[in-house]
Amino acid sequence: MQAPNPKREETSARIIAAAGAVFAERGFRGTTIRQITTRAGVNLAAVNYHFRDKAELYVRVLREAKRCATDIIIDDIPGDAEARLRGFIDRFVRYLLDPERPAWHGRVIALEMSNPTPALGVIILELTSPLYRDVRALIGKVVEDSASPRELDLFALSIFGQCVFYVNSRPLVEQMATDLNKTPDRIGRISTHIGDFSIAALHDFRRQANQPRPRAAGVRTKRLALR
Amino acid sequence: MQAPNPKREETSARIIAAAGAVFAERGFRGTTIRQITTRAGVNLAAVNYHFRDKAELYVRVLREAKRCATDIIIDDIPGDAEARLRGFIDRFVRYLLDPERPAWHGRVIALEMSNPTPALGVIILELTSPLYRDVRALIGKVVEDSASPRELDLFALSIFGQCVFYVNSRPLVEQMATDLNKTPDRIGRISTHIGDFSIAALHDFRRQANQPRPRAAGVRTKRLALR
DNA sequence: GGGAAATTAAAACACCTGTTTGAATCGGTC
DNA sequence: GACCGATTCAAACAGGTGTTTTAATTTCCC
């Protein structure tokens, strides 16, 4: 009624919703247009009519996932650097795992990163780059600028890695940590843990950086003679 | 010459090598038999002749990756629990990232875990289950049995997550941590970092568990009012 | 209600997929 | 050299893929 094409919006939305779910489950290559249209309850040709082709539909799905990720921005989180880092982790984990939102929002992005298509560069990196940069800067504040750029990267990757693992290797998580999945506030529990775990490691790094003589010389640099 | 079927062994091996590389790059569903046979320089029908079908070849590839992962076992690593945990992390990271081995060994398993096929249960979990169990027990020793089963799971997942991230989200790692990839001993640097990061977090947990009154009450359990 | 545009529907298209076929070639043995 | 099983090869197969086509239907405006 409001737009010149009322039905168009509806079926487009239904296709995107169905496509998001299937893409998140089977990846771009593993998904067929017939799976999408069947799930959406629309005709097979609808995808090529409303979107140009399968690739463009995929881009639209990624864009939608990206759009819903903008509220992860950490500018509005109050408190000191540590609290803001905890806040980011909480939001990020919820974005990835919260069943309230369409389950595919986080997973379709994680899948695209582990199995990239040409869409990776134009969409995903646009989303992750500022996020990564902000988190990296935040970590720098937590350790009071005592880390080198390379160390900042390692810290950031450790934090991202912990978060993404739950959605990227879900079968393993569900198989191994069986009683964790039964926890009532599972997501909150995970988020709090990753925050505790990471903050503790960063504090330890800052402490060792501030006292030039490490408490146990050689421990941090000990390399193992293996293999 | 040695076996009753000299050529058979050779082309089988070439197919497995080529298939491993392609499967690791594009996943099971995204890989075509023609890609494999072209890369291996063998006839198209060779796959169905030497292996029954594509699925069985995939299982053989996973089995090969699993076979080469057996030397990650941590029984033979000397030292205390902390040193053994560091040793495991080092071996695991090298298994995933070391370009010396066929690059697909770790990645084909990581891909299978993020995008499972029916082969997941019968191969991958056979490999990861004992690994996970051992690491979990090792963590228990590091924190001197002060962690609940659920907390042990969270710790183990944090460590695995950090390691797997580098191979699972490789595009992001390469794009973001640019100068890390230029580091000469990149893999050793990563392994050492994950060890430091995790051990520090575990030590902090043990310290707080041993002194019943936490140094800053409320910090560990503080939940953020976001969204 | 008539008519033009937008949308849906069914069918077909060309192409690629995994797999099979049957003949050609190779390897060693008598 | 002739034989025979094992292996390779080119060709073809049935089925599924993304996409296009063409007609039917709906929607909205006059």
Side-chain angles (χ1 to χ4, degrees):
Chain A
M1 298 290 176
Q2 64 238 18
N5 39 13
K7 278 210 171 176
R8 179 179 189 112
E9 303 243 333
E10 191 204 348
T11 60
S12 282
R14 292 177 62 183
I15 290 177
I16 288 187
V22 185
F23 280 140
E25 200 59 37
R26 318 180 73 92
F28 176 72
R29 286 183 257 263
T31 297
T32 84
I33 292 188
R34 283 166 177 84
Q35 287 170 358
I36 295 174
T37 53
T38 299
R39 184 178 188 124
V42 300
N43 186 269
L44 167 65
V47 163
N48 296 91
Y49 176 76
H50 289 273
F51 313 87
R52 189 160 44 81
D53 53 15
K54 181 185 175 186
E56 176 133 335
L57 170 59
Y58 185 61
V59 169
R60 290 286 298 274
V61 165
L62 289 181
R63 243 190 262 280
E64 174 72 8
K66 177 187 172 187
R67 192 182 62 78
C68 297
T70 50
D71 55 354
I72 305 182
I73 49 160
I74 50 188
D75 293 343
D76 63 328
I77 302 181
D80 58 356
E82 179 183 322
R84 296 178 70 202
L85 183 56
R86 285 193 134 94
F88 161 76
I89 293 173
D90 190 66
R91 290 189 182 179
F92 190 57
V93 168
R94 286 181 194 284
Y95 173 74
L96 292 175
L97 266 51
D98 194 347
E100 290 288 320
R101 16 176 121 237
W104 49 271
H105 278 173
R107 176 154 165 86
V108 75
I109 290 182
L111 254 187
E112 169 67 18
M113 285 206 307
S114 66
N115 219 331
T117 72
L120 175 80
V122 296
I123 315 267
I124 305 302
L125 294 181
E126 287 176 13
L127 163 65
T128 53
S129 293
L131 225 54
Y132 182 86
R133 188 169 31 80
D134 290 354
V135 170
R136 198 167 168 280
L138 214 44
I139 294 171
K141 287 185 191 162
V142 173
V143 298
E144 294 170 351
D145 300 322
S146 59
S148 70
R150 226 185 308 253
E151 286 164 335
L152 282 182
D153 280 328
L154 288 168
F155 287 141
L157 294 177
S158 278
I159 292 177
F160 275 98
Q162 289 178 76
C163 298
V164 173
F165 189 61
Y166 288 87
V167 58
N168 235 343
S169 301
R170 195 175 39 184
L172 184 134
V173 173
E174 288 175 356
Q175 190 83 14
M176 302 301 166
T178 50
D179 56 349
L180 174 64
N181 299 306
K182 299 184 205 132
T183 308
D185 183 26
R186 173 172 170 268
I187 301 180
R189 193 66 190 264
I190 291 171
S191 151
T192 308
H193 159 75
I194 297 178
D196 291 342
F197 193 89
S198 306
I199 294 285
L202 294 179
H203 279 179
D204 179 78
F205 177 86
R206 183 183 59 189
R207 190 181 325 123
Q208 297 210 16
N210 287 348
Q211 56 180 40
R213 187 177 303 272
R215 55 184 177 179
V219 164
R220 288 183 52 90
T221 58
K222 178 169 62 178
R223 283 280 290 103
L224 301 152
L226 298 171
R227 297 210 73 246
Chain B
M1 298 292 176
Q2 63 237 19
N5 38 13
K7 280 208 171 179
R8 177 179 192 113
E9 305 244 334
E10 191 203 349
T11 59
S12 281
R14 291 177 62 183
I15 289 177
I16 286 187
V22 186
F23 280 140
E25 200 60 37
R26 317 180 74 92
F28 175 72
R29 286 183 257 263
T31 297
T32 84
I33 292 188
R34 283 167 177 84
Q35 288 170 357
I36 295 173
T37 53
T38 300
R39 184 177 188 126
V42 302
N43 186 270
L44 168 65
V47 163
N48 297 90
Y49 177 77
H50 290 273
F51 313 87
R52 188 158 46 81
D53 53 14
K54 182 187 174 186
E56 177 133 335
L57 170 60
Y58 185 61
V59 169
R60 289 286 298 273
V61 165
L62 288 181
R63 243 191 263 280
E64 175 71 8
K66 176 186 173 188
R67 194 181 61 77
C68 298
T70 51
D71 55 354
I72 306 182
I73 48 161
I74 50 188
D75 294 342
D76 63 328
I77 302 180
D80 57 358
E82 179 182 320
R84 296 179 69 201
L85 183 56
R86 284 193 134 92
F88 160 77
I89 292 173
D90 190 68
R91 289 189 182 180
F92 191 56
V93 168
R94 288 182 192 283
Y95 172 74
L96 292 176
L97 266 52
D98 193 347
E100 291 286 322
R101 20 176 117 234
W104 50 271
H105 278 174
R107 174 152 167 88
V108 75
I109 289 182
L111 254 187
E112 169 67 17
M113 283 205 308
S114 67
N115 218 336
T117 72
L120 174 80
V122 298
I123 313 269
I124 304 301
L125 294 182
E126 287 176 11
L127 162 63
T128 52
S129 292
L131 226 53
Y132 182 86
R133 188 168 33 78
D134 290 354
V135 170
R136 198 166 168 281
L138 213 45
I139 294 172
K141 286 185 190 159
V142 173
V143 298
E144 295 169 351
D145 300 323
S146 59
S148 70
R150 227 185 309 251
E151 285 165 336
L152 282 182
D153 280 327
L154 288 168
F155 287 140
L157 294 177
S158 277
I159 293 178
F160 275 97
Q162 290 179 75
C163 298
V164 172
F165 189 62
Y166 288 87
V167 58
N168 236 343
S169 302
R170 194 175 41 184
L172 184 134
V173 173
E174 288 174 356
Q175 190 82 13
M176 303 301 167
T178 49
D179 57 345
L180 174 64
N181 300 305
K182 299 182 205 133
T183 308
D185 183 26
R186 171 173 171 269
I187 300 181
R189 192 69 190 263
I190 292 171
S191 150
T192 308
H193 158 76
I194 297 178
D196 291 343
F197 194 90
S198 306
I199 294 284
L202 294 179
H203 279 179
D204 180 77
F205 178 87
R206 183 183 61 189
R207 191 182 326 121
Q208 296 212 16
N210 286 348
Q211 55 182 38
R213 188 178 302 270
R215 54 180 179 182
V219 165
R220 289 182 54 89
T221 58
K222 178 170 62 177
R223 283 281 289 105
L224 302 153
L226 298 172
R227 303 208 68 248

